[in-house]
Amino acid sequence: GAGVSQSPSNKVTEKGKDVELRCDPISGHTALYWYRQRLGQGLEFLIYFQGNSAPDKSGLPSDRFSAERTGESVSTLTIQRTQQEDSAVYLCASSLGPTGTYEQYFGPGTRLTVT
Amino acid sequence: AQRVTQPEKLLSVFKGAPVELKCNYSYSGSPELFWYVQYSRQRLQLLLRHISRESIKGFTADLNKGETSFHLKKPFAQEEDSAMYYCALGVYNQGGKLIFGQGTELSVKP
């Protein structure tokens, strides 16, 4: 079946602009996660959705970052007034549930470059 | 604090040699540990998890709570094992986020 998809695959934007990143999870997966991976670093957790609610937003680095999920499906991560330090690969993952019983399946990522 | 440490950024071995990728964690609760792998131009995927205690592609990892370690081992490396390997800690009190180490690049030379 189809895996997790993300769009766009690459995004180049100017400092100060807003960007929107999209994630389509595997159908039926109620848990959805966003991570960020800066160059040469591991993945950093950003936000977790269970259904359409976000019980854990603890990883969002600033109030310029926000995310929403609609219809227990698609999620969008929005970064306002982008800064150069926002340049990274943004990864989305989904799973059947929020425990270790269920594997997190990752998308291919969106590479964001802020110039 | 919740933390995962992978001390080696790059590990280079010859084909047929044993491999050990180190991972140490810091967590006050009962840990659930995972190894994820990313092959060139592929997406990140689960390799193995400690609760299943299985061997995948010849790799094994044992959780050592005393040493707070979850090292990944393979007795005889193959060229196709070359990839980025990430150790991850599952934190489930708030919904299952993963805390990742910085990753180790494994290069297996012919």
Side-chain angles (χ1 to χ4, degrees):
Chain A
V4 177
S5 60
Q6 293 185 246
S7 60
S9 55
N10 278 286
K11 176 73 177 177
V12 180
T13 190
E14 292 180 352
K15 178 181 171 181
K17 301 279 190 185
D18 297 352
V19 295
E20 195 171 274
L21 313 180
R22 177 186 168 111
C23 171
D24 284 86
I26 294 171
S27 177
H29 281 195
T30 62
L32 186 147
Y33 305 84
W34 283 97
Y35 296 88
R36 175 172 74 173
Q37 184 173 29
R38 289 171 160 157
L39 189 64
Q41 304 294 315
L43 283 73
E44 304 169 70
F45 168 78
L46 297 178
I47 187 169
Y48 152 66
F49 286 93
Q50 178 58 39
N52 292 339
S53 64
D56 188 354
K57 305 179 183 179
S58 63
L60 294 178
S62 76
D63 59 8
R64 295 187 295 104
F65 287 72
S66 63
E68 64 176 21
R69 187 179 184 194
T70 55
E72 294 198 350
S73 181
V74 172
S75 176
T76 54
L77 177 69
T78 301
I79 308 172
Q80 295 178 310
R81 305 181 302 282
T82 52
Q83 303 295 312
Q84 288 186 331
E85 63 262 28
D86 300 334
S87 295
V89 176
Y90 289 81
L91 288 161
C92 174
S94 71
S95 68
L96 282 168
T99 73
T101 305
Y102 304 111
E103 178 178 347
Q104 290 190 22
Y105 292 85
F106 283 81
T110 293
R111 182 176 298 277
L112 175 65
T113 304
V114 182
T115 61
Chain B
Q2 304 150 358
R3 187 183 304 120
V4 175
T5 303
Q6 294 180 249
E8 303 139 329
K9 278 201 153 183
L10 173 65
L11 186 62
S12 185
V13 301
F14 286 102
K15 176 183 172 182
V19 169
E20 182 179 53
L21 287 80
K22 295 189 182 336
C23 171
N24 288 88
Y25 67 90
S26 173
Y27 185 52
S28 58
S30 183
E32 293 201 40
L33 277 299
F34 305 83
W35 277 98
Y36 278 79
V37 61
Q38 188 167 28
Y39 300 102
S40 179
R41 289 184 289 279
Q42 294 187 27
R43 59 185 70 188
L44 194 65
Q45 59 187 282
L46 179 66
L47 179 62
L48 54 78
R49 65 187 87 188
H50 91 270
I51 56 174
S52 58
R53 301 182 66 82
E54 55 192 345
S55 173
I56 304 293
K57 299 185 179 183
F59 285 97
T60 59
D62 291 318
L63 177 61
N64 185 322
K65 292 185 179 181
E67 296 183 358
T68 61
S69 68
F70 188 58
H71 302 326
L72 183 68
K73 300 177 183 179
K74 184 169 183 176
F76 307 103
Q78 304 299 313
E79 289 180 67
E80 56 266 30
D81 296 329
S82 295
M84 281 295 298
Y85 291 80
Y86 295 94
C87 182
L89 167 70
V91 178
Y92 299 105
N93 57 352
Q94 289 178 302
K97 67 184 178 186
L98 295 171
I99 307 294
F100 284 85
Q102 292 194 328
T104 298
E105 181 182 355
L106 175 64
S107 174
V108 181
K109 299 179 178 178

